[in-house]
Amino acid sequence: MDRVARVLTGKVSAWLVLIAYVVVFGGLSSALGSLSTASRDQNLPAEAQSAIAAAQLKQFPGSDKQPVLVVTTRTDGQPLTAADQQSIATVAATLTTPTGGGSTGGRPTGATVSEDGRAAITIVPVTSSDDDSSNKQVVADLRTTIADHLPSGLTMQVTGGPAFGADIAASFAGADVTLLLVTVGIVAVLLLITYRSPLLWLVPLAVVGLADRLAGTLTNLLSLVTGWHAEGGIVSVLVFGAGTNYALLMISRYREELHHHTDHREALRVAWRRSIPAILASNLTVVGGMLTLLVALLPQTRGLGLSSAAGLLTALVAVLVGLPAALAIVGRGIFWPFVPRADASGAADDRPGFWGRVAHTVTARPVVSLVAGLALLGIFASGLASVRIGLDQADQFRVASESASGLRTVAAHFPAGETSPLTVVGRADRTAQLQQAIADTPGVVRVVPSGQDATHGRVALTVTGSAEPGSDASLQLVRDLRAATATVDGAEAVVGGQTAQDLDRRDAQTRDFLLIAPLILLVCFVVVGLLTRSLLAPLLLLTVNAASAAAAVGAGWWLSRAILDTPAYAIEVPLFAFLFLVALGVDYTIFLVERIRHEVVVGATTREATVLAVRHTGAVITSAGVVLAAVFAALGVLPLVVMGQLGIIVCLGVLVDTLVVRTVIVPALFALVGERIWWPFRASVGSGSRTTR
């Protein structure tokens, strides 16, 4: 390790390392170029009924045609007149050849007027594909045609599945760039405040920024290779957040060593060696946690796990290779105007400071501190009692969209299930029996044949339900239909459609959470156990960490309702929030506990080591926590509610871990348990000769 450190920090070799880092990272990013990514729509388990139904429907004649709903109302809210209905028909006649070069792929149906006479639906078949940009253009052309022929006094909104997907794709146009700019701005400001130097913040920002560029390219490459979509915004936030945290830890140790060494390269070598255990343990914990997502049923979950692991490893290499080389080149003066100097004896300022006084207070009364910290977590966690899971389509946008608004208009004037009909696909020779079984199912308004695949002997039946899409009743209708059609002997029926897909995703998310959450805890247990050489310490620390995650999800529910005004968490939130909160939250515990063990090994008791560790790491861990929390809060600039909810929960959770768990609960635990915390092994406990002033 010493030889590696000397290569990274040598007068000549540091330049060679930095040049190699820039060439390799920058060259790979440029060589791979600007790659697209897999579609967001492909996110179902292969064995799910809705996925099977979708695959079978692609074999039907005209399967590339998907229905788009054009819902028309009067601007004054009054019933549609005969003249209005004629105007609707006139507009519909133009939709076979929309402007912009697109094609609807078929003739629109006649307008269906609602019972209250205040709205009409025209179904327009459009040519769709797996290419989000192509679908976005088709829907845009359709809307342009309508706008060009819109009669006065009428409002016409384009909604339905293809329109909804197109609006999601359109809403992300430029969003990742905005997120990157906001993230870089947040990191730059916080690093400037942390380092109190107009120069130093530029070094870690440049090193991590280059790593983020490569990570974004790798995310798209992995998505294309596997077919699993991954949200690049989340990967970017992880790379910037984790990379900046690692840099803060190393630079903090470097600044500390500069008080003991006149040669800045020697100080950097010592800092590099001593910060590696915590950085590696932190990185491997999060990477291991992310890789547990590979056992998930949902493709997007697997995609996020794989891409995030690749991005975090990229950040690790950047900080362990690129950062020390850059710091060796710029020298001690980069800390200007507060340049750390060693006195003649090499002694450093040993005043306890704010964090030393906090540690003394907590460890002097560990029971009171522990009870107070856990009580605060309990108050936050009480929000879990009212948490609801599952958003319908109209509530998934953080910003207004025509498709979401159109869905609400349809739901206000037509049977609730009209906006999201189900499709039953089965054998054509069992059509009559299937129709009867479906019609007899409670909650079904009507069932009509909608297509036939003569080659494979399959028939498609469109089912309209009375329940509002996304409601518990609509999900139960899917279950009931699957049970009813299963009783038709030889029908081989599967139930698909948007609501069926929602149910399958929910079931998959539940299964994934129950499987992956214990795996995440196991990964963290192993890494923390190896770091502490103990079985009791990781058990206690992960219990506290899990309690902290529950507190963040509970309190995040209240904040999500207040800030985003959403009726429920998105189905992805429980698993992703737990992963980020546990894997990232344990980082700060790792940073602290690694320093505690170091102080124990060199001669302090566990209580003394805890005070010393909090004193030396308090400022850097707090700074790292604030940076990571702020970076995750930046997810709120993305257009989907799930991103905003994750941003709120993780931001809150990281602050709780930083300010409550690491500052109060963990030091109190170590002081209360004492030397037994290292059970069944014992650290090299000293006689208490180390000062804890």
Side-chain angles (χ1 to χ4, degrees):
M1 296 296 289
D2 185 67
R3 287 195 296 270
V4 173
R6 290 185 181 280
V7 171
L8 294 174
T9 60
K11 289 184 178 180
V12 176
S13 58
W15 279 101
L16 297 176
V17 169
L18 185 61
I19 292 171
Y21 168 73
V22 173
V23 169
V24 172
F25 274 50
L28 283 175
S29 300
S30 300
L32 293 174
S34 179
L35 301 174
S36 58
T37 184
S39 173
R40 290 183 176 87
D41 294 335
Q42 311 304 314
N43 193 34
L44 286 168
E47 66 275 16
Q49 276 203 28
S50 58
I52 296 172
Q56 291 183 357
L57 286 171
K58 287 185 177 181
Q59 298 175 337
F60 279 54
S63 61
D64 60 337
K65 310 297 187 298
Q66 296 294 323
V68 164
L69 306 182
V70 179
V71 55
T72 305
T73 55
R74 287 183 58 89
T75 55
D76 58 10
Q78 296 302 308
L80 296 167
T81 66
D84 293 333
Q85 295 183 41
Q86 181 58 48
S87 297
I88 295 172
T90 301
V91 174
T94 69
L95 298 183
T96 55
T97 55
T99 60
S103 173
T104 60
R107 289 188 174 278
T109 64
T112 301
V113 182
S114 61
E115 288 188 9
D116 62 11
R118 298 176 184 271
I121 290 178
T122 304
I123 299 178
V124 182
V126 299
T127 302
S128 64
S129 68
D130 293 335
D131 183 3
D132 288 339
S133 60
S134 176
N135 293 338
K136 183 171 66 174
Q137 186 60 51
V138 169
V139 173
D141 290 344
L142 187 62
R143 286 172 172 161
T144 299
T145 302
I146 291 173
D148 291 343
H149 298 85
L150 182 65
S152 61
L154 296 181
T155 298
M156 304 184 81
Q157 297 168 304
V158 178
T159 186
F164 195 87
D167 283 348
I168 291 180
S171 66
F172 270 89
D176 286 342
V177 174
T178 301
L179 176 63
L180 178 61
L181 294 177
V182 171
T183 302
V184 170
I186 289 173
V187 171
V189 170
L190 292 177
L191 289 180
L192 185 60
I193 295 172
T194 299
Y195 293 137
R196 295 175 298 166
S197 166
L199 303 174
L200 181 57
W201 64 276
L202 291 168
V203 177
L205 187 62
V207 170
V208 176
L210 187 56
D212 175 69
R213 181 185 174 193
L214 177 58
T217 304
L218 290 176
T219 295
N220 290 340
L221 176 63
L222 291 171
S223 177
L224 288 175
V225 171
T226 61
W228 306 336
H229 175 80
E231 290 297 343
I234 293 182
V235 176
S236 182
V237 163
L238 282 172
V239 171
F240 263 103
T244 304
N245 278 194
Y246 304 153
L248 281 167
L249 184 67
M250 182 178 292
I251 292 175
S252 173
R253 197 62 186 255
Y254 176 39
R255 191 204 307 258
E256 185 180 332
E257 294 300 330
L258 284 172
H259 287 291
H260 298 273
H261 300 275
T262 55
D263 182 358
H264 81 276
R265 297 179 189 275
E266 181 59 29
L268 185 56
R269 283 192 284 271
V270 174
W272 186 83
R273 292 196 304 269
R274 290 184 178 176
S275 59
I276 272 185
I279 292 175
L280 279 178
S282 170
N283 182 265
L284 292 177
T285 300
V286 186
V287 169
M290 291 298 170
L291 290 178
T292 63
L293 297 182
L294 293 179
V295 303
L297 289 175
L298 295 178
Q300 286 189 19
T301 303
R302 297 195 295 268
L304 179 63
L306 183 61
S307 296
S308 296
L312 288 165
L313 290 174
T314 302
L316 176 69
V317 174
V319 172
L320 292 186
V321 176
L323 181 62
L327 291 174
I329 292 170
V330 296
R332 188 189 301 259
I334 196 67
F335 287 92
W336 182 86
F338 304 100
V339 180
R341 304 284 184 187
D343 61 22
S345 63
D349 183 1
D350 206 31
R351 290 175 295 181
F354 172 77
W355 294 108
R357 292 191 294 272
V358 169
H360 268 295
T361 302
V362 169
T363 56
R365 305 183 67 187
V367 175
V368 173
S369 300
L370 183 61
V371 170
L374 293 177
L376 181 60
L377 296 187
I379 293 172
F380 285 175
S382 64
L384 290 171
S386 58
V387 166
R388 292 185 65 249
I389 306 296
L391 291 174
D392 60 28
Q393 278 191 323
D395 291 323
Q396 291 180 18
F397 277 112
R398 186 181 59 82
V399 295
S401 70
E402 183 176 331
S403 56
S405 178
L407 286 178
R408 294 189 181 97
T409 301
V410 174
H413 298 283
F414 290 87
E418 197 78 47
T419 60
S420 186
L422 298 168
T423 302
V424 177
V425 183
R427 284 181 51 179
D429 58 2
R430 296 292 188 273
T431 300
Q433 295 91 325
L434 280 173
Q435 282 187 279
Q436 187 61 51
I438 294 169
D440 291 342
T441 304
V444 172
V445 174
R446 67 175 175 273
V447 52
V448 295
S450 55
Q452 188 165 354
D453 175 15
T455 302
H456 299 90
R458 309 293 287 177
V459 66
L461 304 172
T462 297
V463 182
T464 302
S466 59
E468 181 180 352
S471 65
D472 292 339
S474 70
L475 299 177
Q476 186 58 47
L477 176 59
V478 176
R479 298 186 187 99
D480 292 343
L481 282 174
R482 286 174 174 171
T485 55
T487 63
V488 179
D489 187 40
E492 301 173 2
V494 288
V495 180
Q498 183 62 53
T499 303
Q501 292 177 7
D502 290 344
L503 175 63
D504 289 336
R505 275 192 284 264
R506 290 190 190 205
D507 289 345
Q509 283 285 3
T510 300
R511 175 267 186 193
D512 288 348
F513 182 84
L514 295 177
L515 174 63
I516 293 173
L519 290 178
I520 295 169
L521 292 174
L522 178 61
V523 169
C524 294
F525 182 88
V526 171
V527 174
V528 177
L530 291 174
L531 181 71
T532 60
R533 281 80 163 175
S534 166
L535 295 179
L536 181 59
L539 183 62
L540 293 176
L541 293 173
L542 287 178
T543 300
V544 171
N545 198 240
S548 174
V553 175
W557 170 246
W558 293 329
L559 287 178
S560 294
R561 293 295 303 274
I563 296 174
L564 301 176
D565 191 27
T566 52
Y569 275 146
I571 60 173
E572 301 90 346
V573 165
L575 176 59
F576 291 164
F578 185 83
L579 169 63
F580 294 144
L581 290 171
V582 172
L584 293 173
V586 81
D587 273 7
Y588 304 109
T589 301
I590 286 173
F591 292 163
L592 176 63
V593 172
E594 190 277 334
R595 186 59 183 260
I596 293 175
R597 182 172 177 81
H598 169 77
E599 298 295 346
V600 168
V601 169
V602 298
T605 65
T606 296
R607 180 187 174 277
E608 293 171 340
T610 301
V611 175
L612 285 166
V614 172
R615 192 188 81 191
H616 286 297
T617 65
V620 65
I621 291 179
T622 301
S623 299
V626 171
V627 169
L628 187 62
V631 166
F632 263 93
L635 284 175
V637 305
L638 294 178
L640 294 183
V641 167
V642 61
M643 297 300 175
Q645 291 177 336
L646 281 174
I648 290 173
I649 294 171
V650 179
C651 173
L652 181 62
V654 169
L655 291 177
V656 169
D657 274 317
T658 304
L659 302 176
V660 179
V661 174
R662 187 271 309 164
T663 305
V664 178
I665 296 179
V666 171
L669 267 178
F670 271 69
L672 190 62
V673 179
E675 312 310 329
R676 291 170 295 177
I677 198 74
W678 311 108
W679 181 88
F681 309 105
R682 287 182 63 83
S684 302
V685 181
S687 60
S689 60
R690 291 290 301 271
T691 178
T692 58
R693 290 200 312 266

